[in-house]
Amino acid sequence: DGGITQSPKYLFRKEGQNVTLSCEQNLNHDAMYWYRQDPGQGLRLIYYSQIVNDFQKGDIAEGYSVSREKKESFPLTVTSAQKNPTAFYLCASSEDRGNQPQHFGDGTRLSIL
Amino acid sequence: GQQLNQSPQSMFIQEGEDVSMNCTSSSIFNTWLWYKQDPGEGPVLLIALYKAGELTSNGRLTAQFGITRKDSFLNISASIPSDVGIYFCAGQRYNNNDMRFGAGTRLTVKP
């Protein structure tokens, strides 16, 4: 089945710890995205990547980092600098031509211990 | 970045009723999208609109791209219990990475 796989489904972070969220897609999409979702708010863009080895900051990049070493993978690291990391994190991908819709994974819920 | 104004925030309706929700913005968008999100899952694309004035249906769902390019609405006819969830609008401007989201409409359907 083609799609976007996020793991883990649930993740707990201790104080001062970095954690990495995985996102893998087999849709052959060039573009990948990370969003943060908080209750009662729209999705906010953290980082995006339009091509391997290149990525750009979104609206709320502080305290996060990403890498794009392979076309199918776009992991997100939530660093200890992110003081309010509790949220639902969504990964998406799309074809990078015209206004192609983004397709989402099933998300990772990150909580603080 | 500016998010979209989506209303209503929540709706409680009886099974069989029709539903209408909308999204507005002060900015022009080139594409309007409607997604549905079930609890603990990612949003699933319902309808994509690419042209001002476009009216598109997907089963019981109908969405329109406003003529001013600053708004869109989604209608659900003859609601059923599995329509329960949060519906999000999204607008894209020039690039795929320039997408803005509404805060969502939470739909509850009473049998």
Side-chain angles (χ1 to χ4, degrees), chain A residues 9 37 59 95 98-99 102, chain B residues 31 35 37 40 42 88 96 100:
Chain A
K9 185 76 175 167
Q37 185 175 33
D59 298 320
E95 294 182 36
N99 278 9
Q102 295 178 19
Chain B
T31 302
Y35 291 88
Q37 186 177 27
F88 288 97
N96 295 347
R100 303 294 158 179

Side-chain angles (χ1 to χ4, degrees), chain B residues 29-82:
Chain B
F29 288 96
N30 293 325
T31 302
W32 283 93
L33 305 162
W34 286 92
Y35 291 88
K36 181 186 180 222
Q37 186 177 27
D38 291 328
E41 297 184 15
V44 173
L45 181 67
L46 298 173
I47 292 179
L49 302 156
Y50 297 103
K51 222 162 98 168
E54 180 182 351
L55 186 73
T56 297
S57 293
N58 177 8
R60 292 178 296 107
L61 277 60
T62 302
Q64 185 157 30
F65 191 140
I67 200 77
T68 65
R69 294 165 65 196
K70 294 182 179 180
D71 62 341
S72 177
F73 73 74
L74 174 71
N75 284 346
I76 305 173
S77 63
S79 58
I80 59 178
S82 62

Side-chain angles (χ1 to χ4, degrees), chain A residues 9 33 35 37 40-45 48 50 59 88 90 94-102 104-106, chain B residues 1 3 30-31 33 35 37 40-43 45 48 50 88 92-97 99-103:
Chain A
K9 185 76 175 167
Y33 315 82
Y35 291 92
Q37 185 175 33
Q41 295 190 37
L43 278 63
R44 291 183 291 167
L45 183 64
Y48 66 94
Q50 293 174 289
D59 298 320
F88 193 51
L90 287 161
S94 72
E95 294 182 36
D96 190 33
R97 55 177 183 85
N99 278 9
Q100 295 301 304
Q102 295 178 19
F104 290 85
D106 277 342
Chain B
Q3 301 289 2
N30 293 325
T31 302
L33 305 162
Y35 291 88
Q37 186 177 27
E41 297 184 15
L45 181 67
Y50 297 103
F88 288 97
Q92 281 182 319
R93 275 193 279 248
Y94 310 109
N95 304 307
N96 295 347
N97 56 65
M99 194 149 96
R100 303 294 158 179
F101 290 86

